[in-house]
Amino acid sequence: MVKILFINPVIREEDNPKHIPYGIALLAAIAINDGHQVQVYDANAWRKGDEVLEQVCAADDWDIIAIGGLTTAFGYIKKACKIVRRINPQTFILAGGGFLTSMPREIMDWMPEIDLGVVGEAFVTFPVVLRMFDEHKLIKIPLDFQKTLGIIYRKSNGTPVLNGVRPNIPNLDALPWPAWELFPLDIYFANSKLLFSEESFTSKRRLDVNGSLGCNLICRYCWHLGTTGDMVIEENEDGINDVRFTYGRNIRYHSPDYIVNMVQYLRDTYDIDFISFIDENMMTMDAYSKRTWIFDLCEAWIAAGLQPTCRSKGIPHDDSCKGVHWGGTSHATLHRKESLEHMFKAGCSQLVYGLESFDRDILKTLGKGSTREKNINSVAICQSAGINPIPNIIIGFPEETFESIRNTITALLELGIHAKPHFATAYPGSEWYYDYKDSIIEQYKGNLEAYIADLGDATKITATISHRFSAMELLGLQKIVELRDLRLLELTQIHWNEADQFMKPLATPKTSFNMVKKKIQAPLAKVVG
């Protein structure tokens, strides 16, 4: 059997660790079920520094050290791989997750310590690679990755080779539950509180659950990275395999019984009182299932005795409340009052809405399918169901104008909402990233890797993709939106108009091989394995 060490990278050092790495916990469970020896070093939870990481790497004769995460963890992953290679020169380093799938060729060039990367969905690819290692050890056969789908590996001269895409698994219920027991749950439980609702803020033991993979929308800023059937691998103009992201979708979700049985186990084992659904968009699943998935999930939740007593008895929530509250994600055009009322009854306390903007023209360009009116109405509909809506607002869109900013502020005033907007950011794997990649590289003086490293701080303004506003102007506009100050906005516009004739666009879109703006659906496997 293979001896594996997983490293969970530090992410957002300015914030407390609140979420167990769901993907790593799932892959750890898959490896354990196959009989491999698994350990986890949760650098994000422990925050012990590089010296402890060195001690962990030297603590055993690891066959494989596996590391992965989103692009926002790129900086730590790169540093950790250098440490791993220095301490364990013979250990095989395996990487995966969004940071690698979004740009596998660049990552392999920037990080020569990585021996092999899992590209896209890893549920089948990872155990296949482990079995190859096992056979390699037992009968001393050389490792040959030429026919292994879903990976990027190195030839003997170090040149990376990207193989074909691995089909997505059709049945998510075939997956085991995550291996929570390998992680320092006491640290995560100590950071259970989320300032989203009374129930989540008073939570003492919260864990995450992912009920689905997929989203039918084509939001320009969003990335899916193969897990939603959006990724294909084809030869580029140089005859070399590269990733291409498309509007293709494989919508998949766990059965309500799978989810409820898992939550029951978590309550019985860890005494949890809150579940955060980290699904990309729960309302997509409700719509895709013809309005049955959410209803069945809520019914199963109540039948299993997970419904909080404040909801079953119709009384205010307090410390004596028993049961499991939960929160998740919604969408202004896909939610229904009937679904929301059922979710409230089952214990839902908050839903995050990516409203982004309240300007009609901006919303038309986003691919969300929403309108100003639906965004405004969504807040009232959610609140009327008893659920707290959490709005996400963005400024700095490519087509952003003073008028679009004004429309967002007036809507915030109308709704009585205070929001500090995020900046429009082109994350690798998104349509924005490929459209504006050349402009991003120009803003970082030719150093794309420096831009990727900057994405680790979500509050930082990085490369702008606005056609009209610079970083300095967006920083000021962010404050004006936060203050909801229409007077300051008007003064700024008057001053800006005098300089407008001398302004040149900072960012201009361009077509890219890596983004195909049509539905090309990645394959689904017939069976798992």
Side-chain angles (χ1 to χ4, degrees):
M1 294 295 104
V2 180
K3 191 180 293 183
I4 315 158
L5 171 67
F6 283 96
I7 297 175
N8 180 35
V10 175
I11 181 170
R12 295 181 183 172
E13 288 188 78
E14 73 281 3
D15 198 7
N16 293 325
K18 294 185 173 68
H19 304 280
I20 288 175
Y22 206 81
I24 291 177
L26 258 179
L27 294 177
I30 291 171
I32 291 170
N33 285 354
D34 285 350
H36 302 292
Q37 298 177 13
V38 178
Q39 286 287 349
V40 170
Y41 175 59
D42 194 340
N44 191 45
W46 281 307
R47 308 279 174 99
K48 294 294 186 181
D50 297 347
E51 189 175 325
V52 172
L53 174 60
E54 293 175 3
Q55 294 169 5
V56 172
C57 291
D60 209 331
D61 185 19
W62 309 107
D63 295 314
I64 292 177
I65 293 183
I67 190 167
L70 297 175
T71 298
T72 47
F74 169 76
Y76 184 88
I77 292 173
K78 180 166 183 173
K79 179 181 70 172
C81 283
K82 288 182 180 297
I83 292 173
V84 171
R85 178 56 71 228
R86 177 165 54 81
I87 303 296
N88 306 68
Q90 302 304 317
T91 297
F92 197 85
I93 298 179
L94 189 151
F99 94 100
L100 182 126
T101 296
S102 63
M103 42 183 7
R105 305 200 69 83
E106 288 94 336
I107 293 295
M108 294 296 273
D109 288 340
W110 296 339
M111 301 173 66
E113 298 85 7
I114 296 176
D115 294 302
L116 182 143
V118 175
V119 179
E121 193 167 279
F123 302 138
V124 176
T125 306
F126 184 61
V128 165
V129 171
L130 295 186
R131 282 198 294 272
M132 293 176 70
F133 260 84
D134 215 11
E135 293 170 359
H136 166 74
K137 288 198 321 180
L138 291 173
I139 57 179
K140 306 295 183 187
I141 58 173
L143 283 167
D144 181 1
F145 294 113
Q146 289 187 62
K147 297 180 180 178
T148 306
L149 296 176
I151 65 164
I152 185 166
Y153 70 101
R154 295 188 190 279
K155 295 196 291 189
S156 57
N157 64 1
T159 304
V161 178
L162 178 60
N163 287 349
V165 67
R166 169 84 61 182
N168 294 139
I169 64 171
N171 177 18
L172 293 186
D173 281 4
L175 296 173
W177 295 342
W180 295 281
E181 67 277 9
L182 297 180
F183 295 84
L185 295 179
D186 55 331
I187 294 175
Y188 290 103
F189 288 147
N191 295 307
S192 286
K193 299 181 188 306
L194 296 176
L195 194 55
F196 287 159
S197 65
E198 179 186 0
E199 294 85 351
S200 65
F201 189 66
T202 56
S203 167
K204 297 178 178 62
R205 287 176 168 248
R206 175 185 54 79
L207 283 175
D208 297 340
V209 164
N210 189 30
S212 61
L213 288 173
C215 177
N216 64 330
L217 304 173
I218 53 170
C219 302
R220 313 295 189 231
Y221 51 82
C222 193
W223 66 93
H224 302 281
L225 306 178
T227 58
T228 61
D230 61 312
M231 184 185 71
V232 295
I233 293 173
E234 296 176 348
E235 288 186 355
N236 61 20
E237 57 271 21
D238 297 322
I240 301 172
N241 274 358
D242 203 353
V243 291
R244 307 189 84 184
F245 296 101
T246 79
Y247 294 163
R249 296 289 184 268
N250 292 328
I251 303 293
R252 295 165 294 163
Y253 43 83
H254 284 296
S255 68
D257 285 345
Y258 178 100
I259 295 170
V260 167
N261 288 339
M262 184 161 64
V263 175
Q264 274 187 306
Y265 168 81
L266 293 174
R267 184 189 61 173
D268 296 343
T269 307
Y270 301 116
D271 194 26
I272 61 152
D273 57 8
F274 200 96
I275 286 292
S276 291
F277 280 94
I278 56 174
D279 299 52
E280 189 172 348
N281 186 340
M282 294 183 78
M283 289 305 159
T284 284
M285 306 305 151
D286 190 41
Y288 187 79
S289 65
K290 299 180 180 176
R291 307 298 181 182
T292 61
W293 188 63
I294 288 288
F295 181 85
D296 292 345
L297 176 62
C298 293
E299 287 295 297
W301 195 279
I302 294 169
L306 297 173
Q307 182 188 30
T309 50
C310 67
R311 301 294 166 85
S312 61
K313 295 182 178 178
I315 58 177
H317 175 73
D318 58 26
D319 286 346
S320 66
C321 187
K322 304 295 182 185
V324 182
H325 284 276
W326 51 285
T329 50
S330 190
H331 187 277
T333 66
L334 298 177
H335 71 182
R336 294 188 316 163
K337 192 170 185 297
E338 296 82 357
S339 300
L340 294 173
E341 288 174 347
H342 225 67
M343 293 164 76
F344 174 80
K345 182 181 174 186
C348 180
S349 69
Q350 79 241 3
L351 289 169
V352 175
Y353 285 77
L355 301 179
E356 327 307 2
S357 172
F358 289 94
D359 180 77
R360 292 183 177 86
D361 293 334
I362 292 291
L363 288 168
K364 283 180 183 176
T365 68
L366 287 186
K368 290 185 68 72
S370 190
T371 64
R372 174 183 172 86
E373 291 73 22
K374 288 182 177 177
N375 270 2
I376 290 174
N377 290 337
S378 69
V379 175
I381 292 172
C382 188
Q383 286 177 323
S384 70
I387 298 173
N388 202 28
I390 310 298
N392 272 335
I393 305 295
I394 296 174
I395 64 165
F397 297 99
E399 300 81 6
E400 194 81 89
T401 63
F402 279 103
E403 188 60 26
S404 62
I405 294 282
R406 183 174 291 104
N407 287 332
T408 290
I409 293 176
T410 56
L412 294 177
L413 288 167
E414 180 181 338
L415 293 168
I417 293 176
H418 288 269
K420 183 178 182 179
H422 300 284
F423 295 111
T425 303
Y427 287 97
S430 70
E431 186 172 332
W432 276 353
Y433 174 76
Y434 297 110
D435 284 353
Y436 293 96
K437 187 175 178 181
D438 286 354
S439 295
I440 291 167
I441 292 173
E442 185 177 349
Q443 291 177 56
Y444 274 77
K445 298 181 178 179
N447 189 347
L448 181 61
E449 185 179 354
Y451 170 69
I452 301 302
D454 260 359
L455 295 176
D457 184 349
T459 64
K460 187 175 180 178
I461 189 166
T462 54
T464 64
I465 58 173
S466 171
H467 298 176
R468 304 184 71 182
F469 296 120
S470 68
M472 179 187 73
E473 290 154 341
L474 288 173
L475 283 164
L477 290 170
Q478 182 194 45
K479 191 65 181 179
I480 288 173
V481 174
E482 184 182 1
L483 295 171
R484 304 185 302 180
D485 195 325
L486 291 171
R487 182 189 66 83
L488 277 180
L489 183 70
E490 184 179 355
L491 284 175
T492 305
Q493 185 176 8
I494 291 171
H495 177 75
W496 191 91
N497 284 343
E498 294 176 358
D500 189 22
Q501 58 183 314
F502 304 108
M503 300 293 285
K504 292 193 299 185
L506 281 172
T508 53
K510 187 179 177 182
T511 59
S512 166
F513 169 83
N514 299 105
M515 186 68 222
V516 187
K517 299 180 182 181
K518 58 183 180 180
K519 288 188 177 181
I520 301 176
Q521 195 156 317
L524 269 173
K526 292 182 180 178
V527 295
V528 177

